[in-house]
Amino acid sequence: MPAEGEDGLFTQSWFPVCMSSEVGPGELRAEKFLDGKVVVYRGEDGIARVMSAYCPHLGADLSIGCVVENRLQCAFHKWEYDTDGQCAKTGIGDRPPHTAQLYKFPSQERYGLVWAFNGDEPLWDLPDFEYDDDDIIFRTFRLPALFNCDPWVFAANTPDMQHLKAVHNIQFNVDDPHESVDWSDWGFRYKIIAAHQQGIPIEWTL
Ligand code: FES
């Protein structure tokens, strides 16, 4: 199985791009994404957006630009890109060419993260838990170093009953719950009733 991007292609999925706390109102930042670079910025409306990072005019790096109201302004000739990525104005006031458009990634902000979908339209929404977001306690942090590993390798542990038993010492009360896995087009869910380490009873939905 090729690693992400090894064949020039990346999985179509939601990817976390940065933490919400890292891009305040009126701020922007550069992030590596899909073997390239994007700009994440937050305008006056408080919405974080993810755009391609290079100005269609002469290719300046937009991450050294600034945020004006809800627009992203290029540092070089002050062209400004609106919330759809379209150039809305130029620095000297002439009409911007309609081809001056940044690629705008579908994005969402949830669980303390800014997410971008690799594609024109998201194929599915971010996963929900069984509770309102306000009733969930979550903690978001950057790891001190990058794992040299594709994200799917981590995700693949979740349906791996051997992993649950051998690595986490979970003992199922019944047979391995392969048959209770509920598959959907883009994911799956299943419940386990089991004992965790030291016999602690658990009832989880994964
Ligand atoms: S390079 Fe961005 S406005 Fe000219």
Side-chain angles (χ1 to χ4, degrees), residues 54-62 73-81 90-91:
Y54 297 103
C55 182
H57 182 215
L58 289 180
D61 183 345
L62 291 167
Q73 186 189 73
C74 178
F76 203 177
H77 310 103
K78 314 292 184 200
W79 288 22
E80 293 183 10
Y81 297 89
T90 64

Side-chain angles (χ1 to χ4, degrees), residues 50-190:
V50 183
M51 306 273 186
S52 47
Y54 297 103
C55 182
H57 182 215
L58 289 180
D61 183 345
L62 291 167
S63 69
I64 58 167
C66 64
V67 179
V68 178
E69 296 172 357
N70 292 318
R71 298 183 301 279
L72 191 55
Q73 186 189 73
C74 178
F76 203 177
H77 310 103
K78 314 292 184 200
W79 288 22
E80 293 183 10
Y81 297 89
D82 67 16
T83 54
D84 290 323
Q86 184 70 46
C87 183
K89 58 196 289 194
T90 64
I92 59 171
D94 55 1
R95 185 144 49 101
H98 71 277
T99 50
Q101 168 122 35
L102 303 177
Y103 187 81
K104 179 188 176 190
F105 287 91
S107 61
Q108 281 196 57
E109 197 164 5
R110 205 165 177 195
Y111 309 129
L113 295 164
V114 178
W115 302 77
F117 191 88
N118 174 27
D120 292 334
E121 296 290 337
L123 298 175
W124 64 88
D125 207 355
L126 287 170
D128 288 313
F129 294 97
E130 291 178 352
Y131 309 94
D132 288 341
D133 287 5
D134 290 344
D135 294 333
I136 300 172
I137 296 170
F138 55 86
R139 194 160 59 99
T140 311
F141 56 94
R142 265 190 198 268
L143 293 167
L146 287 178
F147 284 121
N148 190 18
C149 175
D150 281 340
W152 66 263
V153 175
F154 288 89
N157 287 330
T158 306
D160 178 2
M161 311 297 168
Q162 288 201 45
H163 176 90
L164 296 178
K165 292 199 285 193
V167 179
H168 297 288
N169 252 334
I170 288 174
Q171 304 296 322
F172 297 122
N173 293 2
V174 291
D175 292 341
D176 293 0
H178 294 289
E179 300 309 320
S180 66
V181 177
D182 182 19
W183 292 91
S184 58
D185 283 346
W186 308 108
F188 64 85
R189 249 172 224 272
Y190 68 100

